[in-house]
Amino acid sequence: MSEISAFLTGQPLLALFLTIAIGYLLGAVSVKGLSLGSGAVLFVGLAVGAAAPKLVLPGLMGNLGLLLFLYGVGIAYGAQFFRGLTTAEGMKANLAALIAVGAALGLTLAAAHWLPGIDLPHALGAFAGAGTSTAALQAALAVFGAAPATGYSMAYPIGVAVPILLLGLYNAWRKPRLSAVTPAALHVEEIDVTEFYVIGMTLAAAARSLPAGISIVAIRRGHHNLVAEDSMCLERDDVLLVAGNDSALLHDVATRFGPAHPGRMVHDRKDLDYERFFISSAAVAGLRLGQLQIPEELQARILHLRRADADLHLTPQRMLEFGDRIGVLAPRASFPALRKLFGDSVRGTGEISYLSIGVGVTLGLAFGAIHWPLPLLGHLSLGFAGLLLVALLLGRQRRTGMFQWAMPISANLVLRNFGLTLFLAVVGISSGATFAATFAESGMLYLLLGSAIVSVMVIVTMLVALAVFRLPFDSVAGIVAGATGNPAILAFANRIAPTDRPDVGYAMIFPSMTVLKILLVQLVGILAQ
């Protein structure tokens, strides 16, 4: 054992990446749908730190990891965060989570005061672990040193398991009704123009009578498919190609013009064809659909926009981002020019602007370093919470002049997941030497405390959101995931509530609760000193 300890102590980088590798291997193990994911890296780090107590990793390495994670979160969720602060449902969701986190902190402080064997640093670590908030842990470490990491590591698995258990029990008990599932795929209908009252009507006039999200994209006349233009007048025996995301609504709309008669336009591709292109051009990414100028000679019509695994509604305000796939109807001869316009490079969709990251992180760290005066309490600096706030603002802007703040989703995921993994590995290795002794002495007490903290967080959130604000369950499931913080909880929420609302609720709540947890831990630290 001493040889292994000496070897790991002499090879800190090897120990670090061995921790990451084994952690992800164990984190992928699922027991009845429950897995720790990247959180397992923390526990492997504790084991490595206990086996090699003299192993020391630079603290700056862990801070760099957390920095990358928080910046990526802010850029990804900026728009949803500010929407949550300005919409009625978003404000209700944030208030429910705020009350729940406040109640959980109150229980934490009471436990630190009344329970023997648990002091304030360890209790705050348990609070961060029960809320699976690595950012709150970093704030506690900055104030109290290494002690909070022990409470965090023991409460973390409870913080993942209890919300999943409570959401599952409520869903099985009440079997709540869900919102209508948002339609995703693009649907088309081919309609013969036979209704006499539309003959002679321009396509612009016909389009004004259609519901939002439904559009006339092409017309077949004289055995030729043509891109729809507003000035065209409908003639008898024309065939319209109408597209939208809601198949039932689309079929209902189709009967306004005549009977559906599918096959002729879709199967005849000599004049028009459909193709998807990746958005990888810096000249296009960051533009809104209403600003996108496609040369008229290309005769192209945008039908579809897909981002990650979601199909998005086409609106003039919809902003294009790196990695989007845009579906276009156009003559095949126009495809090379369209490919040049959009970029259409898979490799390009994984690239990020390091200039923008450098400037964005610099602004965030500078803002976090400002010391804000607090009456009677001294000064408070936001630290990494300031970085997250700036990243949220930049994520909302998406682009400012030459700076492209938005990142391709795949690149953003890699950035923040690697950062989180790095931080957890460093914290685990640094805390491993003291973890075993503390667990043997007070391990069961910490497990009970962590269970109580996260149970309060979940139950209060659900009571306020469901009983007081009457929010739908699928939204509340996402709000619970955002308040407690772990993506595994969101994944479970998506399984029991398969609509888009859990993702929206999570995106609105997770950033604000992350900032709140950081500030609360810092404030408690100031008051305790």
Side-chain angles (χ1 to χ4, degrees):
M1 191 70 177
S2 59
E3 291 82 1
I4 296 177
S5 175
F7 176 74
L8 292 175
T9 302
Q11 300 290 334
L13 285 179
L14 184 150
L16 174 66
F17 282 93
L18 179 64
T19 298
I20 292 173
I22 298 176
Y24 264 92
L25 181 65
L26 296 178
V29 176
S30 177
V31 179
K32 295 186 178 180
L34 174 63
S35 61
L36 289 176
S38 59
V41 174
L42 175 68
F43 301 106
V44 175
L46 290 169
V48 171
K54 295 183 180 180
L55 174 60
V56 178
L57 294 175
L60 181 62
M61 189 177 295
N63 288 340
L64 174 63
L66 186 59
L67 178 154
L68 295 176
F69 170 71
L70 291 177
Y71 185 77
V73 166
I75 294 298
Y77 295 138
Q80 295 92 330
F81 169 72
F82 284 100
R83 193 179 304 128
L85 297 180
T86 55
T87 64
E89 182 172 333
M91 287 188 284
K92 291 177 181 178
N94 274 282
L95 181 56
L98 172 64
I99 294 171
V101 172
L105 180 65
L107 176 63
T108 301
L109 297 179
H113 182 73
W114 294 105
L115 288 181
I118 294 184
D119 56 14
L120 182 60
H122 288 93
L124 287 177
F127 170 75
T132 63
S133 176
T134 53
L137 172 62
Q138 192 275 339
L141 294 174
V143 176
F144 296 104
T150 300
Y152 178 92
S153 60
M154 283 186 274
Y156 184 94
I158 297 297
V160 177
V162 168
I164 291 176
L165 176 63
L166 293 178
L167 283 173
L169 288 175
Y170 181 84
N171 184 61
W173 171 46
R174 297 301 300 267
K175 295 181 173 56
R177 295 181 61 183
L178 304 178
S179 306
V181 178
T182 301
L186 177 70
H187 301 279
V188 295
E189 283 278 5
E190 296 181 33
I191 309 110
D192 290 330
V193 178
T194 59
E195 295 294 334
F196 71 92
Y197 70 92
V198 300
I199 304 299
M201 184 184 293
T202 64
L203 291 185
R208 283 194 292 269
S209 67
L210 300 180
I214 305 295
S215 59
I216 301 171
V217 297
I219 186 170
R220 182 175 178 83
R221 180 174 295 168
H223 304 292
H224 291 281
N225 296 337
L226 308 172
V227 172
E229 296 180 5
D230 290 344
S231 59
M232 288 181 172
C233 293
L234 290 172
E235 299 177 4
R236 184 171 294 278
D237 298 328
D238 283 347
V239 181
L240 298 180
L241 186 67
V242 183
N245 295 102
D246 189 329
S247 58
L249 181 61
L250 189 65
H251 182 73
D252 177 65
V253 167
T255 60
R256 302 180 186 183
F257 300 94
H261 192 176
R264 287 170 292 178
M265 298 186 72
V266 173
H267 294 157
D268 183 2
R269 301 195 174 190
K270 65 179 182 296
D271 298 307
L272 295 177
D273 204 351
Y274 177 79
E275 184 67 282
R276 285 187 179 184
F277 303 95
F278 282 98
I279 303 294
S280 61
S281 168
V284 172
L287 294 179
R288 303 186 187 277
L289 279 174
Q291 300 172 318
L292 182 63
Q293 296 182 351
I294 300 178
E296 292 184 6
E297 61 270 16
L298 298 182
Q299 303 179 56
R301 178 70 177 265
I302 296 174
L303 299 189
H304 193 215
L305 184 65
R306 186 171 180 83
R307 179 170 301 156
D309 297 327
D311 294 282
L312 307 179
H313 291 292
L314 299 179
T315 64
Q317 297 303 313
R318 178 73 67 188
M319 185 173 289
L320 299 172
E321 297 185 2
F322 284 110
D324 287 352
R325 285 160 290 170
I326 190 165
V328 182
L329 186 69
R332 295 197 65 84
S334 299
F335 285 1
L338 291 170
R339 190 167 288 112
K340 183 177 180 181
L341 173 67
F342 296 118
D344 199 35
S345 169
V346 177
R347 178 179 179 181
T349 62
E351 295 178 354
I352 55 180
S353 170
Y354 290 100
L355 172 63
S356 298
I357 291 179
V359 172
V361 170
T362 299
L363 292 174
L365 292 177
F367 181 69
I370 297 174
H371 290 269
W372 303 92
L374 293 179
L376 304 178
L377 296 177
H379 291 80
L380 172 69
S381 60
L382 296 176
F384 279 0
L387 169 71
L388 177 57
L389 287 172
V390 170
L392 289 166
L393 180 61
L394 299 180
R396 181 193 186 191
Q397 294 296 113
R398 314 307 285 171
R399 183 175 185 169
T400 306
M402 64 179 291
F403 296 107
Q404 177 70 37
W405 310 115
M407 290 180 259
I409 292 178
S410 56
N412 187 297
L413 283 170
V414 170
L415 185 75
R416 67 180 194 251
N417 286 342
F418 176 72
L420 178 61
T421 300
L422 189 62
F423 174 75
L424 291 175
V426 172
V427 169
I429 291 172
S430 301
S431 308
T434 59
F435 174 78
T438 306
F439 182 80
E441 181 180 346
S442 307
M444 184 56 66
L445 190 59
Y446 278 108
L447 292 178
L448 293 174
L449 176 59
S451 299
I453 292 172
V454 72
S455 296
V456 166
M457 206 176 296
V458 173
I459 293 172
V460 172
T461 300
M462 295 182 68
L463 282 175
V464 175
L466 289 169
V468 179
F469 293 139
R470 305 289 183 181
L471 296 178
F473 174 71
D474 41 356
S475 289
V476 174
I479 295 167
V480 168
T484 51
N486 195 279
I489 304 168
L490 176 62
F492 181 79
N494 279 317
R495 285 200 294 274
I496 64 174
T499 73
D500 62 343
R501 284 181 173 270
D503 289 323
V504 173
Y506 180 85
M508 288 193 302
I509 298 301
F510 176 66
S512 55
M513 290 306 105
T514 298
V515 173
L516 177 65
K517 291 171 187 175
I518 294 172
L519 294 179
L520 288 176
V521 169
Q522 288 185 326
L523 186 60
V524 170
I526 291 175
L527 293 173
Q529 291 177 347

